[in-house]
Amino acid sequence: MPPSASTSAQFQPSDPAGDHTPAFSPLYQQIKTLILRGMQSGEWKPGEAIPSELELAARFRVSQGTVRKAIDELAAENLLVRRQGKGTFVATHSEEKIQYRFLRLQPEDGADPVPMQRQFLDCRRIPAPADVAKALSLRPGEMALEIRRTLSQHGNPIVLDDIWLPAQLFTGLTAQRMGDYRGPLYGLFESEFGVRMIRAEEKIRAVAADTEIASVLGVAAGSPLLSVERLSFTYGDKPVELRRGFYNTSTHHYRNELS
C-alpha cells in the first residue's frame, strides 16, 4: 500500500489533534491536502485517474459532497482534469489544454497560440549566482543548470529564455535531450525527471534590447521588449525553476485573464 494511502486511511476529520492540517481548516481543504499528498507521493501520477468521488469519500470517511468540493478546487487550479464519462485524472503538461497554461503569448490576429520552434543555444552546469540561488532556495555555491533557448515562428525568433534549474533534480539533462523531446519542456521535466510545475509567479516590465539580446532576436538594439521573470513551483510550494524571458511583441501580445 502506498505511504499516502496508509496515512489517509487513518485520517479522522473530526480529530482536532490530528497532524494532517490545522484544526480550523475547512474539511474540504483537508481532503484537498490529502489528495495533493497522494499526487506528490506518486500514488497518482500525471495522466492517471484518481479514485472516484465515492471511493475517496469512503477512504477519507467524509461525504461525497466534501470530496467533490476538494476536487473542484484542484480542477480549477489545473491540477486535476475531469473527463466526461471517464473520471478525474491528474493533469499532465503533455495535454494540449495544460501545455499553454504558462504560455501567454498570442498572435495579434487573435488566433490561438500555436507551437513554436525551439532552439537550445546553451545548457551548462555552474555554481548558481547569488540571485538565482536565493530564488531557488539553493545553498551558496550549489550547482544549477542554466539553459538558453529561443522560441520562433516562421523562422523568426519571438522569445529568448534564460532558464535556471536546481542541478540535482535534473541529472542527465542536456541540450540534445531537450531538443529531441517532441512535447513541451514542462512535459519532459514531468515525465523523465518527476518534477511537475503546478504554479508560477511572474514579474513583467518593459525593457530595451541590449546588443546581445537584439542580435539573438533579430531586432535593432534599443528595440522595446517585454521582460518576463517567472518563478515556478512544484508540490509543497518548492521553487524549481527561474525563467527570465525577453519577448518581441511586435507581432504578438501578452494575454492574461483576470477573475
Side-chain angles (χ1 to χ4, degrees), residues 96-145:
E96 185 173 355
K97 175 185 175 183
I98 305 298
Q99 280 185 26
Y100 299 112
R101 180 182 168 203
F102 293 103
L103 180 61
R104 302 290 184 172
L105 273 188
Q106 186 167 0
E108 282 296 340
D109 60 11
D112 292 333
V114 297
M116 293 190 179
Q117 296 75 50
R118 302 173 297 188
Q119 181 181 4
F120 292 94
L121 308 177
D122 197 9
C123 179
R124 58 180 182 154
R125 283 170 169 76
I126 61 173
D131 59 333
V132 173
K134 181 179 180 181
L136 294 178
S137 298
L138 300 178
R139 298 184 304 274
E142 191 170 351
M143 298 301 287
L145 189 66

Side-chain angles (χ1 to χ4, degrees), residues 190-210:
E190 174 185 275
S191 63
E192 297 196 23
F193 297 93
V195 179
R196 173 161 171 73
M197 311 298 183
I198 64 172
R199 75 173 190 89
E201 298 174 355
E202 288 189 337
K203 294 188 291 186
I204 303 174
R205 62 190 176 100
V207 298
D210 64 23

Side-chain angles (χ1 to χ4, degrees), residues 1-2 4 6 9 32 67 69-70 82 84 105 141 150 157 159-160 174 181 190 193 201-202 208 218 231 249:
M1 179 181 295
S4 57
S6 174
K32 177 183 175 182
V67 171
K69 192 170 182 181
R82 284 192 171 98
Q84 188 66 33
L105 273 188
T150 58
V159 179
L160 170 63
T174 63
Y181 187 76
E190 174 185 275
F193 297 93
E201 298 174 355
E202 288 189 337
L231 187 61
T249 57

